[in-house]
Amino acid sequence: MINIQSTQQLGQALRTARKQLGLTQSEMALTAGVGVRFIVDLEAGKPTVRLETVMRVIEALGGQVMLDGLPDITQTP
């Protein structure tokens, strides 16, 4: 598990994952259903990207987002 504390760290982690999969930014954009410009901005750590779209890119890379230290809302009382 990786501890992401900034948009720059998230961008670097996603860039590394994309490269490990052998995907270009264009191929990643197509796989995630987003524009190439979005991938470029995301990997650069641009803080204005939309979270919903970031989630689609992470999912397309085979990853998932896990939050630590917050209540587990998936468990029903």
Side-chain angles (χ1 to χ4, degrees):
M1 184 177 348
I2 184 171
N3 184 15
I4 302 292
Q5 297 181 338
S6 70
T7 56
Q8 289 78 20
Q9 287 177 335
L10 177 60
Q12 180 62 42
L14 296 177
R15 178 184 303 110
T16 299
R18 175 183 58 77
K19 288 183 176 185
Q20 286 177 347
L21 291 172
L23 297 172
T24 65
Q25 288 179 325
S26 296
E27 291 167 334
M28 183 70 255
L30 184 61
T31 300
V34 300
V36 175
R37 182 81 237 160
F38 180 83
I39 298 296
V40 170
D41 289 347
L42 178 59
E43 290 184 357
K46 187 174 180 182
T48 59
V49 296
R50 291 179 38 145
L51 181 58
E52 177 183 0
T53 311
V54 172
M55 299 293 289
R56 289 200 327 237
V57 172
I58 291 170
E59 183 179 319
L61 289 168
Q64 61 181 346
V65 175
M66 299 176 70
L67 298 175
D68 189 31
L70 297 177
D72 184 352
I73 61 170
T74 63
Q75 302 296 321
T76 55

